[in-house]
C-alpha cells in the first residue's frame, strides 16, 4: 500500500491500539510472531487447505485449516498462530486429537510422539469466534463487515502487517510459504459470492442450509498476508491476455453497478501487464490467473487476486503521488499493487524488516510503467517527485525477528535508491537484465535483503554494498559539498557511511562528466572558467556549495 498521511495515521493508531507495538522494548509476543522459533523450525509448510464460513449476522467465523507439512528435523511441539478473540477449538492428527495450550497469539500444539525427520504429515486445526474488526483497512487489518451501496453484505479481509493469523490459523511468518499452494473453501449465504485467490474450481449449493461454498485453488506458493476473501454481490467479467507465459486468464469481480466504470478503467490492466512483463519478465502466476476484485478500501497486493478500491479514476484516490502531473496519467492502485505480483508475491521477504523488497520495488515499478508508456522524462519527473514524501525519520530496514517494519520511507526512498543505482550502473540493457534476473533467480522464493543486494552488485559488476547501507540502514542522505575557484572544482561527500564512494554524473559548463567523490576532498581542473555546475537529478543526493 502507499500514502504517507494515512501511513502516519496508521502508525499512530497502531501505537494507540497496541495492535502490535512498533516502538519500545521487544515483547515476547513480537519475538514469537517475528522469529523462526524452535517450534516453527522443524516443519516446512507444503499446503494449506482453509475451509471457513462467514456468518455476518453474528459477525463470526467458523472453520478449519488442514496444514500439510514436511519435517526438516524431528519434532513434537508445533507453534500455530491465531490471534484472539478467535480461538482454536480442536487439533486433529489422523485419528487422534492433540493437546494444545494458548500463549497470547500463539498456540503450542503437542504431538503424541515425536515425528521423525523427512516425513510428510498433516494436522487439521479447527477454529471459530468473533474475529478482530479492521480498524483502518488495509493499514490496520482484520475483517470488515461492510455493506455495499445497495445495502447488501460486502465483507473483506485484510492482513498485511497485522498478519494472516488475524483471521485464520497458520504459521504466520514470511519465511515459510506453502510450496504446493493453498485451497480456500468459503461458505456464505446463498445470496452472496465469495472471491478468493487463484482459480474458482466449483461452487456447492446447500439448498437446505441456504449456503454456497466457493472452492478456490492456488497452485503456487503464496504469502500468508496475500490470502484474502471478499464477499459481496459480485458479478464476473472475464478476459484473456496474450503474454510472455502464453494466455493469461483475467477475471474482474465487481459489484453490478460498478461494471461500466470498471470495464473502462480496467483497460489499464493489459497496459500494466505489457509494461511489467517487459521490465520484470513473465507474470509469475499464469497457472493461478490474474484478478482484480473491487473492495471497500483503496487496494492490496493479494496474490493473483489484487484488490481494488481506487474509485475507477487515475492517480491515487484522485491525488498525484509526485505532485508533478504524471501521477494522474495512470491508475496508481492497478499499477502499484500489480507490481507486487513480481516484487512481494513472486519474490517475497523472509522477514518483515526487509519489507522494502516489496514496497521499494513496487514504488520504483510505478516509474518504470510510466517510462514504458510515456517516456523517460515523465518517468524521471515521477520518481524524483515522490522524494517529497521522504521523511528520513528511521532507517528503511526494520528490526529482524520481531515483525517490526522499517520506516514508511521504504516506498519513495526505496524507489529513489533503485533509480539512483540504475544511474550508477548507467547501462539500461544491464539494468533490464538485472530486473529480469531477480525474478528468475528468486522465482517463487522468499529472500533476505542481503540476497537482493548481493545479486544486484554481482550482476552490475559494482560493489554497491555501501550504497545499500547508506540508503537502507541510515537516515542520512549523502551530501555532496563542492567549491568552485576559477577553473578548479573541488568536492567531497559528507554524512556518508565509511567507505561510501558512489559515482555521480555532474554537468560542468554544459558538459556531463563522471566523478567519484569520497569523504576526502578531490580537485579537478578545467580548461575554462567554471560558469555552471549541476548534479544529474537522477542521483538522490543533497548538494551544497561550500
Ligand atoms: Zn505496496
Amino acid at each position: 500500500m502507499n500514502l504517507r498521511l494515512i501511513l502516519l495515521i496508521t502508525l499512530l493508531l497502531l501505537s494507540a491500539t497496541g495492535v502490535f507495538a512498533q516502538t519500545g522494548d521487544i515483547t515476547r509476543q513480537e519475538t514469537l510472531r517475528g522469529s523462526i522459533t524452535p517450534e516453527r523450525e522443524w516443519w516446512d509448510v507444503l499446503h494449506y487447505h482453509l475451509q471457513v464460513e462467514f456468518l455476518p449476522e453474528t459477525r463470526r467465523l467458523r472453520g478449519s485449516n488442514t496444514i500439510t507439512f514436511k519435517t526438516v528435523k524431528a519434532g513434537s511441539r508445533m507453534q500455530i498462530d491465531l490471534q484472539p478473540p478467535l480461538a482454536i477449538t480442536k487439533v486433529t492428527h489422523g485419528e487422534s486429537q492433540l493437546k494444545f495450550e494458548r500463549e497470547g497469539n500463539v498456540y503450542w500444539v503437542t504431538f503424541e510422539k515425536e515425528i521423525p525427520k523427512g516425513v510428510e504429515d498433516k494436522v487439521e486445526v479447527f477454529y471459530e469466534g468473533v474475529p478482530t474488526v479492521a480498524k483502518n483497512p488495509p493499514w490496520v487489518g482484520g475483517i470488515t463487515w461492510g455493506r455495499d451501496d445497495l445495502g447488501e453484505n460486502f465483507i473483506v479481509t485484510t492482513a498485511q502487517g497485522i498478519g494472516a493469523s488475524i483471521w485464520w490459523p497458520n504459521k504466520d511468518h514470511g519465511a515459510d510459504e506453502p510450496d504446493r499452494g493453498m485451497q480456500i473453501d468459503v461458505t456464505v449465504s446463498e445470496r452472496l459470492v465469495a472471491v478468493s485467490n487463484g482459480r474458482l474450481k466449483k461452487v456447492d449449493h446447500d439448498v437446505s442450509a441456504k449456503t454456497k461454498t466457493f472452492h478456490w485453488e492456488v497452485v503456487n506458493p503464496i504469502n500468508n498476508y496475500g490470502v484474502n476473501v471478499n464477499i459481496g454481490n459480485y458479478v464476473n467479467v472475464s478476459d484473456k491476455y496474450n503474454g510472455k507465459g502464453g494466455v493469461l486468464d483475467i477475471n474482474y469481480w465487481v459489484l453490478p453497478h460498478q461494471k461500466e466504470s470498471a470495464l473502462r478503467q480496467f483497460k489499464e490492466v493489459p497496459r500494466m501487464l505489457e509494461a511489467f512483463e517487459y521490465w520484470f519478465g513473465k507474470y509469475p502466476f499464469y497457472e493461478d490467473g490474474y484478478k482484480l476484485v473491487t473492495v471497500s478500501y483503496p487496494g492490496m497486493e493479494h496474490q493473483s487476486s489484487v484488490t481494488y478500491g481506487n474509485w475507477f479514476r487515475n492517480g491515487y484516490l484522485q491525488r498525484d503521488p509526485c505532485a508533478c502531473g504524471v501521477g494522474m496519467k495512470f491508475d496508481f492502485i492497478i499499477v502499484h499493487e500489480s507490481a507486487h505480483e513480481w516484487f512481494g508475491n513472486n519474490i517475497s521477504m523472509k522477514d518483515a524488516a526487509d519489507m522494502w523488497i516489496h514496497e521499494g520495488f513496487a514504488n520504483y515499478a510505478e516509474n518504470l510503467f510510466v517510462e514504458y508508456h510515456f517516456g523517460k522524462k515523465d518517468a524521471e519527473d515521477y520518481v524524483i517527485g515522490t522524494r517529497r514524501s521522504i521523511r528520513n525519520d528511521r532507517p528503511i530496514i526494520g528490526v529482524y525477528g520481531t515483525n517490526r517494519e522499517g520506516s514508511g520511507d521504504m516506498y519513495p526512498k526505496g524507489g529513489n535508491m533503485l533509480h539512483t543505482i540504475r544511474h550508477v550502473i548507467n547501462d539500461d540493457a544491464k539494468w533490464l537484465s538485472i530486473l529480469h534476473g531477480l525474478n528468475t533467480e528468486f522465482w517463487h522464493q522468499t529472500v533476505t535483503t542481503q540476497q537482493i543486494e548481493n545479486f544486484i552488485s554481482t550482476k552490475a559488476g559494482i560493489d554497491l554494498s555501501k550504497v545499500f547501507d547508506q540508503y537502507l540502514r541510515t537516515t542520512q542522505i549523502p551530501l555532496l559539498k563542492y567549491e568552485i575557484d576559477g577553473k578548479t572544482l573541488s568536492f567531497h561527500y559528507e554524512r556518508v557511511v565509511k567507505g561510501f564512494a558512489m559515482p555521480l554524473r555532474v554537468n560542468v559548463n554544459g558538459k556531463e562528466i563522471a566523478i567519484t567523490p569520497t569523504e576526502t576532498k578531490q580537485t579537478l581542473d578545467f580548461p575554462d572558467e567554471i560558469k555552471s555546475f549541476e548534479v544529474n537529478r537522477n542521483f538522490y543526493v543533497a548538494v551544497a556549495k561550500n
Side-chain angles (χ1 to χ4, degrees), residues 1-2 160 301 336-337 340 358-359 362 411:
M1 276 310 309
N2 204 330
Q160 190 189 47
E301 62 260 29
H336 175 96
E337 307 305 346
H340 282 303
H358 299 198
E359 301 301 356
Y411 295 81

Side-chain angles (χ1 to χ4, degrees), residues 75-200:
S76 60
R77 199 162 119 102
M78 181 178 259
Q79 176 181 340
I80 302 289
D81 304 274
L82 181 68
Q83 299 178 40
L86 286 171
I88 291 177
T89 53
K90 186 169 72 172
V91 182
T92 60
H93 179 229
E95 294 300 302
S96 49
Q97 281 196 32
L98 300 183
K99 290 204 176 79
F100 59 85
E101 55 182 335
R102 168 165 233 164
E103 183 183 349
N105 298 332
V106 164
Y107 284 80
W108 305 111
V109 178
T110 310
F111 286 85
E112 319 91 305
K113 59 180 197 307
E114 191 176 79
I115 302 180
K117 179 185 169 175
V119 298
E120 191 175 316
D121 206 338
K122 62 182 175 188
V123 290
E124 185 167 7
V125 181
F126 294 82
Y127 77 110
E128 63 177 275
V130 176
T132 297
V133 168
K135 290 182 182 69
N136 183 22
W139 299 280
V140 188
I143 306 288
T144 304
W145 303 98
R147 295 273 174 184
D148 69 16
D149 296 342
L150 304 174
E152 185 51 279
N153 281 294
F154 196 29
I155 305 161
V156 299
T157 70
T158 45
Q160 190 189 47
I162 205 164
S165 57
I166 198 76
W167 70 277
W168 58 284
N170 60 84
K171 185 197 273 191
D172 207 354
H173 194 280
D176 196 359
E177 296 185 4
D179 307 62
R180 296 180 200 152
M182 180 159 179
Q183 191 176 325
I184 306 140
D185 301 341
V186 189
T187 302
V188 291
S189 156
E190 63 186 358
R191 300 190 320 277
L192 296 166
V193 174
V195 184
S196 187
N197 310 74
R199 289 183 187 273
L200 181 61

Side-chain angles (χ1 to χ4, degrees), residues 490-511:
S490 51
F491 55 85
H492 69 280
Y493 276 134
E494 290 181 10
R495 308 193 310 217
V496 290
V497 297
K498 200 168 181 307
F500 185 87
M502 185 175 81
L504 295 175
R505 288 198 305 283
V506 298
N507 197 301
V508 179
N509 290 344
K511 191 168 171 256

